[in-house]
Amino acid sequence: MLAYSYIDHERERIIIMTKVLIFGHKNPDTDTICSAIAYAELKKALGVDAEPVRLGTINGETQYALNQFNVEAPRLVETVSNEVEEVILVDHNERQQSVGDIDNVRVIEVIDHHRIANFETSHPLYYRAEPVGCTATILNKMYKEKGVAIRKEIAGLMLSAIISDSLLLKSPTCTDEDVTAAKELAEIAGVNLETYGLEMLKAGADLSEKTIQELISLDAKEFQMGNYKVEIAQVNAVDTNDVLVRQAELEVALASVVSEKGLDLFVFVVTDILNNDSVALAIGSVAHAVEQAYDVQLVDNKALLKGVVSRKLQVVPVLTEILNKL
């Protein structure tokens, strides 16, 4: 899709291509950053003046991928309407997860793999949402559909996104399409899928130097669940105790966010990437919803969630169902 503006000057219509910014959600993860880069690359190959940008700090896992494939991180922006009139969203659609001035620009495309909520536009748009584990899996198909070859560096980033979102193809969100795409992209990128994937996940799971504020905001998303405002943050760790040893500090920080944002619930999920379980730390007036959702008891505000690794599939829809009934 080409974005144009039209100027009627002395009865002549002059067509000027306008720039489009492509970005994912706030507190970007590897899929958000890598898919923005990959889709901008595809759009440029199709003649569109597209630039990937980011809405937050690059995390350790994503930086590892960028370093491995010698790709620069997109520039950071706080607003977009001061630069462009049209934008493309990847890896998200909910407005509270997007740029602050999203209502002041026209969304012309969305490429996503999440639920659709709190989203509407004033104009028709190209919307592609598929029930796969990663946005990059969709983009892999789009490159093929457009007949555009994927460069080695871009393939490496797309592979990194799939590894991240699927926890090296072990997450319940992972589909056969994700597995196929990962294998194809690994071959193009010239890396061993298992070896590279484990190294990347371990790089992202090194949280030893993170501040408490960084831990709770690295990968945090806000959701409207029925009448309740909920924020869910997730971090990956080799040993969950490395994070939870700081529980007292975490609780103070979470309570502060709940107060400042008027949240009803903040769930901080620490995922064990080796055992594929998570521990949830829940703070807020409806923290009991976590107990109902998973048939567990919160002890000191936390509970083990056996087999839970996916926020998208195993946390958001389960909590939404419970909170819709409260």
Side-chain angles (χ1 to χ4, degrees), residues 208-238:
S208 58
E209 297 184 2
K210 299 298 182 184
T211 66
I212 292 295
Q213 190 57 44
E214 287 172 332
L215 285 175
I216 67 173
S217 62
L218 275 173
D219 188 7
K221 292 182 179 180
E222 290 184 29
F223 302 90
Q224 189 67 40
M225 299 181 179
N227 295 321
Y228 301 97
K229 189 176 180 181
V230 179
E231 185 159 338
I232 304 172
Q234 184 174 25
V235 296
N236 294 335
V238 174

Side-chain angles (χ1 to χ4, degrees), residues 235-273:
V235 296
N236 294 335
V238 174
D239 184 347
T240 58
N241 289 326
D242 291 343
V243 177
L244 295 172
V245 70
R246 307 168 73 181
Q247 181 176 342
E249 295 175 86
L250 285 167
E251 289 186 0
V252 171
L254 295 180
S256 177
V257 175
V258 167
S259 177
E260 290 173 5
K261 294 186 176 182
L263 301 177
D264 298 290
L265 175 64
F266 195 131
V267 182
F268 180 62
V269 181
V270 186
T271 299
D272 184 329
I273 64 171

Side-chain angles (χ1 to χ4, degrees), residues 17-35:
M17 184 180 292
T18 60
K19 185 175 183 178
V20 177
L21 295 182
I22 302 178
F23 51 87
H25 53 75
K26 297 174 184 175
N27 302 315
D29 57 16
T30 301
D31 188 24
T32 279
I33 296 296
C34 294
S35 287

Side-chain angles (χ1 to χ4, degrees), residues 103-118:
D103 290 330
N104 297 327
V105 291
R106 179 177 174 181
V107 178
I108 60 172
E109 294 187 39
V110 176
I111 314 295
D112 193 16
H113 67 123
H114 295 93
R115 71 173 192 173
I116 301 171
N118 189 24

Side-chain angles (χ1 to χ4, degrees), residues 83 109 111 138 143 183 186 210 221 251 294 296 298:
E83 297 188 42
E109 294 187 39
I111 314 295
I138 304 172
Y143 266 87
K183 291 179 178 178
K210 299 298 182 184
K221 292 182 179 180
E251 289 186 0
Y294 298 100
V296 296
L298 291 171

Side-chain angles (χ1 to χ4, degrees), residues 9 23 32 41 43 61 67 105 155 160 211 238 245 254 259 278 308 316:
H9 179 64
F23 51 87
T32 279
E41 178 94 354
K43 299 301 284 187
E61 177 189 273
N67 291 344
V105 291
S160 301
T211 66
V238 174
V245 70
L254 295 180
S259 177
S278 294
V308 173
V316 172

